[in-house]
């Protein structure tokens, strides 16, 4: 992660972040920015970061249900003959 804080005017700053795509997917960057802003505003962080396996389980259940059904039928057909 590379970061830089640029002062634009009195009391106004621009925060630049640079993530490598392997560690900076949409979920990770969003969570990082959200938690950073919470800490900046003085909110206490709960200290328990979501685990990647929890995110994958959530994504599988909420984002890919149609894909999940298609994969299940595909593998049921393929494995039925074994």
């Amino acid at each position: 992660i590379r970061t830089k804080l640029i002062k634009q005017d009195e009391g106004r700053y621009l925060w630049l972040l640079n993530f490598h795509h392997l560690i900076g997917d949409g979920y990770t960057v969003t969570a990082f920015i959200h938690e950073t802003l919470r800490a900046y505003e003085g909110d206490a962080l709960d200290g328990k970061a979501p685990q990647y396996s929890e995110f994958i389980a959530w994504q599988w259940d909420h984002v890919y249900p149609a894909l999940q059904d298609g994969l299940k039928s595909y593998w049921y057909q393929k494995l039925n003959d074994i």
Side-chain angles (χ1 to χ4, degrees):
I1 300 173
R2 287 187 282 179
T3 184
K4 186 169 189 164
L5 187 63
I6 300 171
K7 184 176 183 176
Q8 292 185 320
D9 291 318
E10 189 61 37
R12 185 176 171 167
Y13 296 86
L14 178 64
W15 183 33
L16 301 175
L17 294 171
N18 185 352
F19 287 86
H20 190 278
H21 68 92
L22 289 177
I23 63 165
D25 64 357
Y27 174 79
T28 306
V29 172
T30 302
F32 176 79
I33 291 172
H34 176 73
E35 289 190 6
T36 302
L37 291 174
R38 281 183 55 204
Y40 177 77
E41 293 170 353
D43 290 346
L45 300 177
D46 58 14
K48 183 186 180 292
Q51 298 300 308
Y52 186 70
S53 59
E54 295 170 350
F55 167 69
I56 293 300
W58 172 87
Q59 184 180 40
W60 186 252
D61 292 340
H62 294 91
V63 179
Y64 297 124
L67 176 63
Q68 186 177 359
D69 292 339
L71 287 172
K72 280 183 183 176
S73 5
Y74 172 82
W75 284 110
Y76 282 137
Q77 286 177 337
K78 290 290 183 186
L79 298 174
N80 193 30
D81 297 333
I82 295 178

